[in-house]
């Protein structure tokens, strides 16, 4: 049982380049999330998808876009990468409803030069 | 503005010592979760507390939810090097679906 799978695991970009981070879950969860983790900041929500076909902004959405491709897959796109977007990005999924535990992937470590 | 304040942010102790991590807010949460994260991995859920005043134990770890559901604590008895990691609290609020608000995290190092 893979759980939540994120690709790639590492990526280095130049300022202005674009890329898409992929996330897939095999737990039949309705809700999916993208976070960024920076030292001393905990996890900050970028975008989330409560269910297939819906997406909403989180705390720090600027510079990002998302696509909920189907129930399994939720991608995060950086259209024009900036050094401030250097971070570790985590995808998570959960069942429907408040207080459900979130299951996380192992992260994508992204450096923007 | 950090809605959930965790303290301390860093903690380095010797094996066998006890420690407490605090998670405080001025907001009420419908439930609160604690996660543990190891280097190079995503956070993994340890426990969920739902009722004000609730206490849950997981081996040497004791979790408590404040009576007013605004704060929580994690107490570790006789810490072991295997307890080393980043501990994160996360609160769920009513009518927010599955969204969680995370604290900044407490980085714990237990030296043998």
């Amino acid at each position: 049982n893979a759980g939540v799978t994120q690709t790639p695991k590492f990526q280095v970009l130049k300022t202005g380049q674009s890329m898409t981070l992929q996330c897939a879950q095999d737990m039949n969860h309705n809700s999916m999330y993208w976070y960024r983790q920076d030292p001393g900041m905990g996890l900050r929500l970028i975008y989330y998808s409560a269910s297939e076909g819906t997406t909403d902004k989180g705390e720090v959405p600027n510079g990002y876009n998302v696509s909920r491709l189907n129930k399994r897959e939720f991608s995060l796109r950086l259209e024009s990468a900036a050094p401030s977007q250097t971070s570790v990005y985590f995808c998570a999924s959960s069942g429907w409803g408040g207080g459900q535990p979130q299951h996380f992937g192992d992260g994508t470590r992204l450096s923007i030069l | 503005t950090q809605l959930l304040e965790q303290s301390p942010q860093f903690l380095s102790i010797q094996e066998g010592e006890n420690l407490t991590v605090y998670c405080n807010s001025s907001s009420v949460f419908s439930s609160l979760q604690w996660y543990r994260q190891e280097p190079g991995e995503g956070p993994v859920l340890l426990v969920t507390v739902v009722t004000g005043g609730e206490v849950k134990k997981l081996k040497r770890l004791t979790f408590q939810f404040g009576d007013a559901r605004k704060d929580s604590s994690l107490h570790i008895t006789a810490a072991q090097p295997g307890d080393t990691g980043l501990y994160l609290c996360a609160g769920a609020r009513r009518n927010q679906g599955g969204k969680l608000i995370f604290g900044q995290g407490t980085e714990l190092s237990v030296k043998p």
Side-chain angles (χ1 to χ4, degrees):
Chain A
N1 188 351
V4 178
T5 303
Q6 290 184 237
T7 55
K9 293 190 185 305
F10 302 93
Q11 185 71 48
V12 179
L13 292 178
K14 293 182 180 178
T15 298
Q17 287 186 317
S18 62
M19 82 161 293
T20 300
L21 280 61
Q22 307 286 354
C23 175
Q25 54 94 7
D26 62 4
M27 293 171 284
N28 201 35
H29 284 159
N30 285 305
S31 302
M32 297 185 74
Y33 313 83
W34 275 106
Y35 294 91
R36 59 178 290 172
Q37 185 174 41
D38 302 292
M41 303 287 287
L43 288 162
R44 291 184 293 169
L45 184 65
I46 305 172
Y47 270 93
Y48 68 101
S49 172
S51 61
E52 188 179 354
T54 70
T55 60
D56 284 289
K57 294 178 181 179
E59 182 186 353
V60 288
N62 291 345
Y64 305 95
N65 283 301
V66 290
S67 295
R68 183 74 183 265
L69 304 169
N70 48 56
K71 192 171 185 180
R72 290 187 65 246
E73 298 172 288
F74 189 37
S75 63
L76 178 72
R77 183 161 176 84
L78 286 70
E79 289 291 351
S80 179
S84 61
Q85 293 178 304
T86 292
S87 187
V88 182
Y89 291 85
F90 286 98
C91 176
S93 68
S94 74
W96 178 255
Q100 296 292 320
Q102 293 189 6
H103 299 259
F104 288 81
D106 284 339
T108 294
R109 282 140 191 85
L110 182 61
S111 292
I112 298 158
L113 307 176
Chain B
T1 304
Q2 193 76 30
L3 286 178
L4 265 177
E5 296 284 343
Q6 262 185 262
S7 62
Q9 285 197 40
F10 301 95
L11 195 52
S12 181
I13 62 173
Q14 293 296 129
E15 181 176 359
E17 292 183 16
N18 301 333
L19 67 116
T20 302
V21 177
Y22 299 94
C23 181
N24 295 306
S25 176
S26 57
S27 300
V28 175
F29 292 99
S30 56
S31 65
L32 201 133
Q33 301 173 10
W34 284 92
Y35 291 80
R36 180 166 169 262
Q37 183 179 14
E38 298 197 41
E41 299 181 5
V44 175
L45 180 74
L46 293 173
V47 77
T48 301
V49 285
V50 179
T51 306
E54 182 177 4
V55 176
K56 279 192 174 178
K57 293 194 175 186
L58 191 63
K59 296 183 181 177
R60 292 175 295 96
L61 278 61
T62 301
F63 304 86
Q64 184 161 9
F65 202 12
D67 291 342
R69 289 185 286 126
K70 293 183 180 180
D71 54 83
S72 181
S73 63
L74 158 60
H75 182 79
I76 302 179
T77 303
Q80 304 293 312
D83 295 327
T84 294
L86 179 68
Y87 290 82
L88 294 155
C89 64
R93 299 167 82 177
R94 259 181 229 292
N95 302 319
Q96 293 288 302
K99 287 197 298 181
L100 295 174
I101 297 168
F102 281 84
Q104 311 100 310
T106 295
E107 195 144 357
L108 172 64
S109 173
V110 182
K111 300 186 190 315

Short mmCIF file of all heavy atoms in Angstrom, two decimals, chain A residues 31 33 35 37-38 40-45 48 57-59 90 94-95 97-107 109, chain B residues 1-2 9 30-31 33 35 37 39-45 48 86 88 92-93 96-105:
data_model
loop_
_atom_site.label_atom_id
_atom_site.label_comp_id
_atom_site.label_asym_id
_atom_site.label_seq_id
_atom_site.Cartn_x
_atom_site.Cartn_y
_atom_site.Cartn_z
N SER A 31 -10.43 14.23 0.04
CA SER A 31 -9.76 15.53 0.17
C SER A 31 -8.25 15.39 -0.01
O SER A 31 -7.65 14.43 0.45
CB SER A 31 -10.05 16.14 1.54
OG SER A 31 -11.44 16.28 1.74
N TYR A 33 -4.43 17.94 -0.26
CA TYR A 33 -3.86 19.20 0.20
C TYR A 33 -2.42 19.35 -0.32
O TYR A 33 -1.71 18.36 -0.46
CB TYR A 33 -3.81 19.25 1.73
CG TYR A 33 -5.08 18.82 2.41
CD1 TYR A 33 -5.35 17.47 2.62
CD2 TYR A 33 -6.02 19.75 2.83
CE1 TYR A 33 -6.51 17.05 3.23
CE2 TYR A 33 -7.20 19.35 3.46
CZ TYR A 33 -7.43 18.00 3.65
OH TYR A 33 -8.59 17.60 4.25
N TYR A 35 1.00 21.55 0.91
CA TYR A 35 1.62 22.39 1.93
C TYR A 35 3.05 22.72 1.50
O TYR A 35 3.68 21.98 0.77
CB TYR A 35 1.72 21.65 3.26
CG TYR A 35 0.43 21.32 3.94
CD1 TYR A 35 -0.22 20.10 3.72
CD2 TYR A 35 -0.14 22.20 4.86
CE1 TYR A 35 -1.38 19.78 4.37
CE2 TYR A 35 -1.32 21.88 5.53
CZ TYR A 35 -1.93 20.68 5.29
OH TYR A 35 -3.09 20.36 5.95
N GLN A 37 6.74 23.59 3.64
CA GLN A 37 7.34 23.58 4.97
C GLN A 37 8.66 24.32 4.93
O GLN A 37 9.57 23.95 4.19
CB GLN A 37 7.57 22.13 5.45
CG GLN A 37 8.07 22.06 6.88
CD GLN A 37 8.14 20.63 7.40
OE1 GLN A 37 8.54 19.71 6.69
NE2 GLN A 37 7.74 20.42 8.64
N ASP A 38 8.76 25.36 5.71
CA ASP A 38 9.97 26.16 5.83
C ASP A 38 10.42 26.15 7.28
O ASP A 38 9.58 26.04 8.19
CB ASP A 38 9.69 27.60 5.37
CG ASP A 38 9.18 27.65 3.94
OD1 ASP A 38 9.98 27.34 3.04
OD2 ASP A 38 7.99 27.97 3.73
N GLY A 40 11.04 26.67 10.99
CA GLY A 40 10.39 27.51 11.99
C GLY A 40 8.99 27.96 11.64
O GLY A 40 8.39 28.75 12.37
N MET A 41 8.45 27.45 10.51
CA MET A 41 7.12 27.92 10.07
C MET A 41 6.07 26.82 10.11
O MET A 41 4.91 27.05 9.79
CB MET A 41 7.20 28.46 8.64
CG MET A 41 8.20 29.57 8.46
SD MET A 41 7.66 31.11 9.18
CE MET A 41 6.40 31.61 8.03
N GLY A 42 6.45 25.63 10.47
CA GLY A 42 5.48 24.53 10.43
C GLY A 42 5.06 24.24 9.00
O GLY A 42 5.81 24.46 8.05
N LEU A 43 3.85 23.77 8.83
CA LEU A 43 3.29 23.47 7.50
C LEU A 43 2.26 24.55 7.17
O LEU A 43 1.35 24.80 7.96
CB LEU A 43 2.61 22.11 7.49
CG LEU A 43 3.54 20.90 7.56
CD1 LEU A 43 2.77 19.68 7.99
CD2 LEU A 43 4.18 20.67 6.21
N ARG A 44 2.41 25.17 6.01
CA ARG A 44 1.45 26.18 5.59
C ARG A 44 0.70 25.69 4.36
O ARG A 44 1.31 25.24 3.39
CB ARG A 44 2.17 27.50 5.30
CG ARG A 44 2.73 28.18 6.56
CD ARG A 44 3.35 29.52 6.25
NE ARG A 44 4.55 29.40 5.42
CZ ARG A 44 5.16 30.41 4.84
NH1 ARG A 44 4.66 31.64 4.94
NH2 ARG A 44 6.26 30.23 4.13
N LEU A 45 -0.62 25.82 4.42
CA LEU A 45 -1.48 25.29 3.36
C LEU A 45 -1.44 26.21 2.14
O LEU A 45 -1.69 27.41 2.25
CB LEU A 45 -2.91 25.16 3.88
CG LEU A 45 -3.92 24.55 2.94
CD1 LEU A 45 -3.59 23.09 2.64
CD2 LEU A 45 -5.33 24.65 3.55
N TYR A 48 -6.06 23.45 -1.41
CA TYR A 48 -6.64 22.17 -1.07
C TYR A 48 -7.81 21.87 -1.99
O TYR A 48 -8.33 22.76 -2.68
CB TYR A 48 -7.07 22.12 0.40
CG TYR A 48 -8.23 23.01 0.76
CD1 TYR A 48 -9.51 22.48 0.91
CD2 TYR A 48 -8.04 24.37 0.97
CE1 TYR A 48 -10.57 23.30 1.25
CE2 TYR A 48 -9.10 25.18 1.30
CZ TYR A 48 -10.36 24.65 1.45
OH TYR A 48 -11.42 25.48 1.77
N LYS A 57 -8.19 28.11 -2.31
CA LYS A 57 -6.93 28.66 -1.83
C LYS A 57 -6.77 28.41 -0.35
O LYS A 57 -7.74 28.41 0.41
CB LYS A 57 -6.90 30.17 -2.09
CG LYS A 57 -6.87 30.54 -3.56
CD LYS A 57 -6.89 32.04 -3.74
CE LYS A 57 -6.88 32.40 -5.23
NZ LYS A 57 -6.92 33.87 -5.44
N GLY A 58 -5.50 28.22 0.03
CA GLY A 58 -5.17 28.10 1.43
C GLY A 58 -4.56 29.39 1.93
O GLY A 58 -4.90 30.48 1.47
N GLU A 59 -3.59 29.27 2.83
CA GLU A 59 -2.97 30.43 3.47
C GLU A 59 -1.99 31.17 2.56
O GLU A 59 -1.88 32.39 2.61
CB GLU A 59 -2.25 29.93 4.73
CG GLU A 59 -1.58 30.99 5.57
CD GLU A 59 -0.77 30.37 6.70
OE1 GLU A 59 -0.85 29.14 6.91
OE2 GLU A 59 -0.04 31.12 7.36
N PHE A 90 4.82 19.31 0.58
CA PHE A 90 4.16 18.08 0.96
C PHE A 90 2.74 18.04 0.42
O PHE A 90 2.00 19.03 0.50
CB PHE A 90 4.11 17.94 2.48
CG PHE A 90 5.44 17.58 3.08
CD1 PHE A 90 6.24 18.58 3.62
CD2 PHE A 90 5.88 16.27 3.11
CE1 PHE A 90 7.48 18.26 4.17
CE2 PHE A 90 7.12 15.95 3.65
CZ PHE A 90 7.91 16.95 4.18
N SER A 94 -6.96 13.08 2.94
CA SER A 94 -7.74 12.69 4.10
C SER A 94 -9.14 12.29 3.66
O SER A 94 -9.59 12.64 2.57
CB SER A 94 -7.83 13.82 5.13
OG SER A 94 -8.70 14.85 4.69
N GLY A 95 -9.84 11.62 4.57
CA GLY A 95 -11.23 11.33 4.33
C GLY A 95 -12.06 12.60 4.47
O GLY A 95 -11.56 13.66 4.87
N GLY A 97 -14.63 15.32 5.90
CA GLY A 97 -15.11 15.79 7.20
C GLY A 97 -14.01 16.34 8.08
O GLY A 97 -12.83 16.06 7.89
N GLY A 98 -14.44 17.12 9.07
CA GLY A 98 -13.48 17.77 9.95
C GLY A 98 -12.77 16.79 10.86
O GLY A 98 -13.34 15.80 11.30
N GLY A 99 -11.50 17.11 11.17
CA GLY A 99 -10.75 16.32 12.14
C GLY A 99 -10.25 15.00 11.63
O GLY A 99 -9.71 14.21 12.42
N GLN A 100 -10.40 14.72 10.34
CA GLN A 100 -9.88 13.46 9.81
C GLN A 100 -8.35 13.53 9.77
O GLN A 100 -7.78 14.56 9.45
CB GLN A 100 -10.40 13.22 8.40
CG GLN A 100 -11.90 13.04 8.31
CD GLN A 100 -12.34 11.75 8.95
OE1 GLN A 100 -11.69 10.72 8.82
NE2 GLN A 100 -13.43 11.81 9.69
N PRO A 101 -7.68 12.45 10.09
CA PRO A 101 -6.22 12.46 10.01
C PRO A 101 -5.76 12.63 8.57
O PRO A 101 -6.39 12.12 7.65
CB PRO A 101 -5.82 11.09 10.56
CG PRO A 101 -7.02 10.24 10.39
CD PRO A 101 -8.20 11.14 10.52
N GLN A 102 -4.67 13.37 8.40
CA GLN A 102 -4.11 13.56 7.07
C GLN A 102 -2.92 12.61 6.89
O GLN A 102 -2.13 12.40 7.82
CB GLN A 102 -3.70 15.01 6.86
CG GLN A 102 -4.91 15.93 6.83
CD GLN A 102 -4.58 17.35 6.40
OE1 GLN A 102 -3.46 17.64 6.02
NE2 GLN A 102 -5.59 18.22 6.46
N HIS A 103 -2.83 12.06 5.68
CA HIS A 103 -1.75 11.15 5.33
C HIS A 103 -0.84 11.87 4.34
O HIS A 103 -1.33 12.37 3.32
CB HIS A 103 -2.31 9.87 4.71
CG HIS A 103 -3.21 9.12 5.64
ND1 HIS A 103 -2.80 8.01 6.35
CD2 HIS A 103 -4.50 9.35 6.02
CE1 HIS A 103 -3.80 7.58 7.11
NE2 HIS A 103 -4.84 8.38 6.93
N PHE A 104 0.44 11.92 4.65
CA PHE A 104 1.39 12.72 3.89
C PHE A 104 2.30 11.88 3.02
O PHE A 104 2.66 10.75 3.38
CB PHE A 104 2.27 13.53 4.84
CG PHE A 104 1.55 14.67 5.52
CD1 PHE A 104 0.77 14.45 6.64
CD2 PHE A 104 1.66 15.96 5.02
CE1 PHE A 104 0.10 15.50 7.26
CE2 PHE A 104 1.01 17.02 5.63
CZ PHE A 104 0.22 16.79 6.75
N GLY A 105 2.70 12.48 1.88
CA GLY A 105 3.79 11.93 1.10
C GLY A 105 5.11 12.29 1.74
O GLY A 105 5.15 12.97 2.79
N ASP A 106 6.20 11.87 1.12
CA ASP A 106 7.53 12.12 1.67
C ASP A 106 8.14 13.45 1.23
O ASP A 106 9.28 13.76 1.58
CB ASP A 106 8.48 10.98 1.32
CG ASP A 106 8.21 9.74 2.16
OD1 ASP A 106 7.61 9.90 3.25
OD2 ASP A 106 8.58 8.64 1.73
N GLY A 107 7.41 14.22 0.46
CA GLY A 107 7.87 15.56 0.14
C GLY A 107 8.66 15.69 -1.14
O GLY A 107 9.27 14.73 -1.62
N ARG A 109 11.70 18.26 -2.42
CA ARG A 109 12.63 19.31 -2.01
C ARG A 109 12.98 20.14 -3.23
O ARG A 109 13.63 19.64 -4.14
CB ARG A 109 13.87 18.68 -1.37
CG ARG A 109 13.59 18.26 0.04
CD ARG A 109 14.23 16.95 0.41
NE ARG A 109 13.69 16.49 1.69
CZ ARG A 109 12.57 15.80 1.85
NH1 ARG A 109 11.86 15.44 0.78
NH2 ARG A 109 12.14 15.46 3.04
N THR B 1 0.32 35.79 11.21
CA THR B 1 -0.13 35.48 12.57
C THR B 1 -0.25 33.97 12.72
O THR B 1 -0.93 33.31 11.93
CB THR B 1 -1.51 36.11 12.84
OG1 THR B 1 -1.43 37.51 12.61
CG2 THR B 1 -1.92 35.85 14.29
N GLN B 2 0.45 33.43 13.73
CA GLN B 2 0.41 31.99 13.96
C GLN B 2 -0.76 31.70 14.88
O GLN B 2 -0.78 32.14 16.03
CB GLN B 2 1.74 31.55 14.59
CG GLN B 2 1.96 30.08 14.59
CD GLN B 2 2.34 29.54 13.21
OE1 GLN B 2 2.96 30.21 12.42
NE2 GLN B 2 1.97 28.30 12.95
N GLN B 9 10.53 25.63 20.61
CA GLN B 9 10.78 25.29 19.21
C GLN B 9 11.89 24.25 19.08
O GLN B 9 11.90 23.47 18.13
CB GLN B 9 11.14 26.54 18.41
CG GLN B 9 9.94 27.42 18.13
CD GLN B 9 10.20 28.41 17.01
OE1 GLN B 9 10.84 28.09 16.02
NE2 GLN B 9 9.73 29.63 17.20
N SER B 30 -12.17 22.13 17.24
CA SER B 30 -13.08 20.99 17.42
C SER B 30 -12.29 19.73 17.74
O SER B 30 -12.81 18.81 18.38
CB SER B 30 -13.94 20.79 16.18
OG SER B 30 -13.12 20.63 15.04
N SER B 31 -11.06 19.66 17.28
CA SER B 31 -10.17 18.56 17.62
C SER B 31 -8.73 19.00 17.40
O SER B 31 -8.49 20.01 16.72
CB SER B 31 -10.47 17.31 16.79
OG SER B 31 -10.20 17.54 15.43
N GLN B 33 -4.72 17.38 16.62
CA GLN B 33 -3.91 16.22 16.27
C GLN B 33 -2.44 16.51 16.56
O GLN B 33 -2.00 17.65 16.48
CB GLN B 33 -4.08 15.90 14.78
CG GLN B 33 -5.52 15.61 14.40
CD GLN B 33 -5.72 15.47 12.91
OE1 GLN B 33 -4.78 15.40 12.13
NE2 GLN B 33 -6.98 15.39 12.49
N TYR B 35 1.38 15.15 15.31
CA TYR B 35 2.13 14.40 14.31
C TYR B 35 3.60 14.37 14.70
O TYR B 35 4.10 15.28 15.37
CB TYR B 35 2.02 15.07 12.93
CG TYR B 35 0.66 15.01 12.29
CD1 TYR B 35 -0.36 15.89 12.66
CD2 TYR B 35 0.38 14.06 11.30
CE1 TYR B 35 -1.61 15.82 12.06
CE2 TYR B 35 -0.86 13.99 10.70
CZ TYR B 35 -1.85 14.88 11.09
OH TYR B 35 -3.09 14.81 10.50
N GLN B 37 7.44 13.88 12.73
CA GLN B 37 8.07 13.86 11.42
C GLN B 37 9.55 13.57 11.58
O GLN B 37 10.24 14.21 12.37
CB GLN B 37 7.89 15.22 10.73
CG GLN B 37 8.44 15.29 9.32
CD GLN B 37 8.22 16.65 8.69
OE1 GLN B 37 7.88 17.63 9.36
NE2 GLN B 37 8.39 16.73 7.39
N PRO B 39 13.40 13.12 9.58
CA PRO B 39 14.07 13.76 8.43
C PRO B 39 13.82 13.01 7.13
O PRO B 39 13.90 11.79 7.08
CB PRO B 39 15.56 13.70 8.82
CG PRO B 39 15.56 13.67 10.31
CD PRO B 39 14.34 12.87 10.68
N GLY B 40 13.48 13.76 6.09
CA GLY B 40 13.27 13.17 4.78
C GLY B 40 11.93 12.48 4.59
O GLY B 40 11.70 11.86 3.55
N GLU B 41 11.05 12.60 5.58
CA GLU B 41 9.75 11.95 5.49
C GLU B 41 8.64 12.94 5.79
O GLU B 41 8.87 14.03 6.30
CB GLU B 41 9.67 10.77 6.46
CG GLU B 41 10.69 9.70 6.19
CD GLU B 41 10.58 8.53 7.14
OE1 GLU B 41 9.63 8.51 7.96
OE2 GLU B 41 11.44 7.63 7.05
N GLY B 42 7.41 12.54 5.47
CA GLY B 42 6.28 13.38 5.81
C GLY B 42 5.82 13.12 7.24
O GLY B 42 6.18 12.11 7.85
N PRO B 43 5.02 14.03 7.79
CA PRO B 43 4.49 13.83 9.15
C PRO B 43 3.60 12.59 9.21
O PRO B 43 2.92 12.26 8.25
CB PRO B 43 3.67 15.10 9.40
CG PRO B 43 4.20 16.11 8.43
CD PRO B 43 4.61 15.33 7.24
N VAL B 44 3.62 11.96 10.39
CA VAL B 44 2.79 10.77 10.63
C VAL B 44 1.96 11.03 11.88
O VAL B 44 2.49 11.48 12.90
CB VAL B 44 3.66 9.51 10.82
CG1 VAL B 44 2.79 8.32 11.18
CG2 VAL B 44 4.46 9.23 9.55
N LEU B 45 0.67 10.75 11.78
CA LEU B 45 -0.23 11.02 12.91
C LEU B 45 0.11 10.15 14.11
O LEU B 45 0.31 8.94 13.99
CB LEU B 45 -1.68 10.74 12.49
CG LEU B 45 -2.72 10.98 13.58
CD1 LEU B 45 -2.93 12.47 13.79
CD2 LEU B 45 -4.05 10.29 13.23
N THR B 48 -5.25 11.83 17.94
CA THR B 48 -6.25 12.89 17.82
C THR B 48 -6.98 13.00 19.15
O THR B 48 -7.40 11.97 19.70
CB THR B 48 -7.26 12.56 16.71
OG1 THR B 48 -6.58 12.41 15.47
CG2 THR B 48 -8.29 13.68 16.58
N LEU B 86 10.68 15.86 14.71
CA LEU B 86 9.91 17.10 14.75
C LEU B 86 8.47 16.75 15.14
O LEU B 86 7.84 15.91 14.51
CB LEU B 86 9.94 17.77 13.38
CG LEU B 86 9.15 19.08 13.25
CD1 LEU B 86 9.81 20.18 14.07
CD2 LEU B 86 9.06 19.51 11.78
N LEU B 88 4.64 18.07 15.64
CA LEU B 88 3.74 19.11 15.14
C LEU B 88 2.35 18.92 15.72
O LEU B 88 1.82 17.81 15.71
CB LEU B 88 3.63 19.03 13.61
CG LEU B 88 4.89 19.35 12.81
CD1 LEU B 88 4.84 18.66 11.46
CD2 LEU B 88 5.05 20.85 12.63
N ALA B 92 -8.15 21.42 14.14
CA ALA B 92 -9.25 21.44 13.18
C ALA B 92 -10.34 22.33 13.74
O ALA B 92 -10.64 22.29 14.93
CB ALA B 92 -9.80 20.03 12.95
N ARG B 93 -10.91 23.17 12.87
CA ARG B 93 -11.97 24.06 13.31
C ARG B 93 -13.28 23.67 12.66
O ARG B 93 -13.31 23.12 11.55
CB ARG B 93 -11.60 25.51 12.99
CG ARG B 93 -10.33 25.94 13.69
CD ARG B 93 -9.78 27.22 13.14
NE ARG B 93 -10.47 28.36 13.73
CZ ARG B 93 -10.14 29.62 13.47
NH1 ARG B 93 -9.17 29.88 12.62
NH2 ARG B 93 -10.78 30.61 14.02
N GLN B 96 -14.74 23.94 8.65
CA GLN B 96 -13.58 24.16 7.80
C GLN B 96 -13.23 22.89 7.02
O GLN B 96 -12.12 22.77 6.50
CB GLN B 96 -12.37 24.59 8.65
CG GLN B 96 -12.54 25.95 9.30
CD GLN B 96 -12.46 27.07 8.29
OE1 GLN B 96 -11.47 27.23 7.57
NE2 GLN B 96 -13.53 27.85 8.20
N GLY B 97 -14.15 21.95 6.94
CA GLY B 97 -13.89 20.72 6.23
C GLY B 97 -12.73 19.98 6.88
O GLY B 97 -12.63 19.90 8.09
N GLY B 98 -11.84 19.48 6.05
CA GLY B 98 -10.71 18.71 6.56
C GLY B 98 -9.48 19.53 6.81
O GLY B 98 -8.42 18.99 7.17
N LYS B 99 -9.57 20.86 6.66
CA LYS B 99 -8.37 21.71 6.79
C LYS B 99 -7.85 21.69 8.21
O LYS B 99 -8.61 21.66 9.18
CB LYS B 99 -8.70 23.15 6.39
CG LYS B 99 -8.87 23.34 4.91
CD LYS B 99 -8.77 24.81 4.53
CE LYS B 99 -9.85 25.64 5.18
NZ LYS B 99 -9.74 27.06 4.76
N LEU B 100 -6.52 21.72 8.33
CA LEU B 100 -5.85 21.78 9.62
C LEU B 100 -4.98 23.03 9.68
O LEU B 100 -4.44 23.47 8.67
CB LEU B 100 -4.96 20.55 9.82
CG LEU B 100 -5.64 19.19 9.92
CD1 LEU B 100 -4.60 18.08 9.96
CD2 LEU B 100 -6.55 19.13 11.14
N ILE B 101 -4.83 23.57 10.89
CA ILE B 101 -3.89 24.66 11.14
C ILE B 101 -2.74 24.07 11.95
O ILE B 101 -2.97 23.50 13.03
CB ILE B 101 -4.57 25.79 11.93
CG1 ILE B 101 -5.71 26.38 11.09
CG2 ILE B 101 -3.55 26.86 12.30
CD1 ILE B 101 -6.61 27.31 11.86
N PHE B 102 -1.52 24.18 11.42
CA PHE B 102 -0.37 23.59 12.07
C PHE B 102 0.40 24.60 12.91
O PHE B 102 0.51 25.78 12.55
CB PHE B 102 0.59 23.01 11.02
CG PHE B 102 0.16 21.68 10.49
CD1 PHE B 102 -0.74 21.59 9.44
CD2 PHE B 102 0.65 20.50 11.04
CE1 PHE B 102 -1.16 20.36 8.95
CE2 PHE B 102 0.24 19.27 10.56
CZ PHE B 102 -0.66 19.20 9.52
N GLY B 103 0.94 24.12 14.04
CA GLY B 103 1.91 24.89 14.80
C GLY B 103 3.25 24.87 14.10
O GLY B 103 3.44 24.17 13.09
N GLN B 104 4.21 25.64 14.66
CA GLN B 104 5.54 25.76 14.01
C GLN B 104 6.37 24.50 14.16
O GLN B 104 7.36 24.31 13.44
CB GLN B 104 6.34 26.93 14.59
CG GLN B 104 5.62 28.23 14.68
CD GLN B 104 5.12 28.47 16.09
OE1 GLN B 104 4.48 27.61 16.67
NE2 GLN B 104 5.41 29.64 16.62
N GLY B 105 6.02 23.66 15.12
CA GLY B 105 6.79 22.44 15.34
C GLY B 105 7.79 22.58 16.48
O GLY B 105 8.27 23.68 16.78
#
